[in-house]
Amino acid sequence: MTNKEKFSTRMLKRFYGVQGVLDEYRRNEIYKIGNTAFIAMFYYSLISNFLVFLILSLDEYKHLESIFLWYIGANIIFVVFGISGYIIFATKSRHLVENEVQDITYQKKRLINISIKQGFTFGVLTFILNGIMSPHLSELTSWHTVRVYIIEGAFFGLAMYFYQRMNLKKLKE
């Protein structure tokens, strides 16, 4: 009998990039990393919200749009570079994303298939979402954009292959 993983376990593994079995040590380390990231985001949101309201009240709501655009931009930069960077650094330094394998050649072939699927999915989803958001759905009918999204998907799949390949570690027998 195969033991199916819970949805929450699969999401944790996907979000943090953990391959293989999610044992108790890895799960506890992931929870520590996630808790630290949440605390940082919590304090950042408290301080940034206070500062924005202070600036808006001192400015008497004259430059509302520009202040909110700067605020949104700062939030995106903090989350993408600050929190995501911390998560990537912490998981790599605690060796949570390394995948120890016995048969390295089989794992490399498996990674090729996985990266092809990831690149194809990325290309199709960006094509559909950008096409839906374009005026009059014009991007869904252009062959030029189809070629661009095929190239995007190929580059994304290639990048994912090399990233996952770096995480492979041969098990010493």
Side-chain angles (χ1 to χ4, degrees), residues 33-50:
I33 292 168
N35 287 341
T36 306
F38 171 77
I39 290 169
M41 284 182 60
F42 178 75
Y43 283 120
Y44 169 77
S45 66
L46 282 177
I47 293 169
S48 65
N49 285 335
F50 173 74

Side-chain angles (χ1 to χ4, degrees), residues 12 15-16 28-46 75 78-91 94:
L12 275 175
F15 184 77
Y16 288 99
N28 287 336
E29 290 298 315
I30 283 174
Y31 286 157
K32 286 179 189 177
I33 292 168
N35 287 341
T36 306
F38 171 77
I39 290 169
M41 284 182 60
F42 178 75
Y43 283 120
Y44 169 77
S45 66
L46 282 177
N75 286 343
F78 179 77
V79 169
V80 169
F81 293 111
I83 299 298
S84 299
Y86 165 73
I87 289 172
I88 290 171
F89 176 75
T91 54
R94 295 178 187 180

